[in-house]
Amino acid sequence: MTSDFHATLHSLRVWDTPLPGFDPAAAPDGPVDLFREWFVQAARTGQAEPHTMSLATVDAEGRPDVRVLMLHDADGRGWHFASHATSAKGRQLAEHPQAALCFYWPAVGRQVRIRGPVTACGPEESRADLAVRSRGALAAALTGHQSEVLGSAQELARASAAAWERAGAEPDAPAPTWTRYVLDPVEAEFFQGDAARRHIRLRYRRTAGGAWARELLWP
């Protein structure tokens, strides 16, 4: 299996399809508009699940942690996502309310990296976040116990079945620990891949006055 792994690993290629161009001089003044533009382009190009992203946090000992979850919005407040406040990420954000996000869209050879402080929204906005999602999302939230040790697969099956039934009967059922979070960016980097490895990297940095400074980075 080791030989198969290495043979497969070294046979892989990236960006075998034409990639879009990117003129950083024509980019918007702030990162949200450019992100929305790139997001729509990635989706229209056929990128699967462009709303999935990696969220990096640190635990109480300063050890980094990362996982993949879904974007719920990107607006003037920042990048929105949600989870249980009692989950590993929820506890880590309560201890250290700073995080980083990373989107990777190989269909267009693009990556977006964002860093900044994270704020937990209040109960009303968190309930509204869950209300517009699917029955499955509500059932998952009602199942609860995220990141806790699970005794068996059967235990999960029973709890999930009960949660699905309740989600169907009570579409407004409360999930008290479900929390919407907003990452307010202080830095955002947009990476456009290039087959010749002349990648374009545009970084936005928030200045002390609140405006955005833009700068190119070596690939």
Side-chain angles (χ1 to χ4, degrees), residues 81-189:
F81 59 94
S83 183
H84 287 283
T86 51
S87 68
K89 69 181 83 64
R91 295 194 304 271
Q92 290 166 5
L93 288 170
E95 182 80 15
H96 299 289
Q98 296 276 340
L101 303 175
C102 182
F103 296 83
Y104 178 50
W105 302 316
V108 286
R110 287 175 170 174
Q111 180 182 180
V112 182
R113 300 167 56 226
I114 307 154
R115 296 196 296 174
V118 177
T119 300
C121 299
E124 184 176 346
E125 190 170 1
S126 296
R127 283 195 300 270
D129 175 272
L130 195 54
V132 299
R133 301 186 68 203
S134 66
R135 178 183 176 185
L138 175 58
L142 292 173
T143 301
H145 304 293
Q146 190 176 49
S147 303
E148 296 178 16
V149 175
L150 175 66
S152 68
Q154 292 75 21
E155 183 181 353
L156 171 61
R158 289 192 297 270
S160 177
W164 272 87
E165 183 175 354
R166 185 182 178 194
E170 301 177 56
D172 296 324
T177 60
W178 186 257
T179 304
R180 186 177 180 114
Y181 296 93
V182 183
L183 186 152
D184 183 16
V186 296
E187 185 178 301
E189 180 190 323

Side-chain angles (χ1 to χ4, degrees), residues 4-219:
D4 288 345
F5 167 75
H6 285 117
T8 301
L9 176 63
H10 296 304
S11 71
L12 299 175
R13 297 293 179 267
V14 295
W15 307 328
D16 286 337
T17 58
L19 299 178
F22 173 47
D23 178 8
D29 292 336
V32 172
D33 289 339
L34 183 56
F35 175 84
R36 287 182 163 189
E37 178 184 325
W38 275 26
F39 181 92
V40 171
Q41 289 175 354
R44 289 177 177 173
T45 303
Q47 175 62 55
E49 301 181 357
H51 59 319
T52 57
M53 61 186 185
S54 297
L55 168 70
T57 55
V58 295
D59 65 15
E61 287 74 43
R63 298 175 300 180
D65 204 352
V66 67
R67 74 288 287 163
V68 175
L69 69 168
M70 290 193 300
L71 174 72
H72 289 201
D73 200 358
D75 58 19
R77 295 168 60 194
W79 275 254
H80 300 234
F81 59 94
S83 183
H84 287 283
T86 51
S87 68
K89 69 181 83 64
R91 295 194 304 271
Q92 290 166 5
L93 288 170
E95 182 80 15
H96 299 289
Q98 296 276 340
L101 303 175
C102 182
F103 296 83
Y104 178 50
W105 302 316
V108 286
R110 287 175 170 174
Q111 180 182 180
V112 182
R113 300 167 56 226
I114 307 154
R115 296 196 296 174
V118 177
T119 300
C121 299
E124 184 176 346
E125 190 170 1
S126 296
R127 283 195 300 270
D129 175 272
L130 195 54
V132 299
R133 301 186 68 203
S134 66
R135 178 183 176 185
L138 175 58
L142 292 173
T143 301
H145 304 293
Q146 190 176 49
S147 303
E148 296 178 16
V149 175
L150 175 66
S152 68
Q154 292 75 21
E155 183 181 353
L156 171 61
R158 289 192 297 270
S160 177
W164 272 87
E165 183 175 354
R166 185 182 178 194
E170 301 177 56
D172 296 324
T177 60
W178 186 257
T179 304
R180 186 177 180 114
Y181 296 93
V182 183
L183 186 152
D184 183 16
V186 296
E187 185 178 301
E189 180 190 323
F190 292 79
F191 172 101
Q192 172 63 71
D194 179 81
R197 301 305 189 264
R198 291 187 288 268
H199 313 309
I200 299 173
R201 296 175 62 189
L202 173 64
R203 180 169 64 187
Y204 290 84
R205 286 188 301 105
R206 195 186 296 276
T207 65
W212 288 104
R214 300 190 303 176
E215 52 202 1
L216 294 175
L217 303 176
W218 281 85

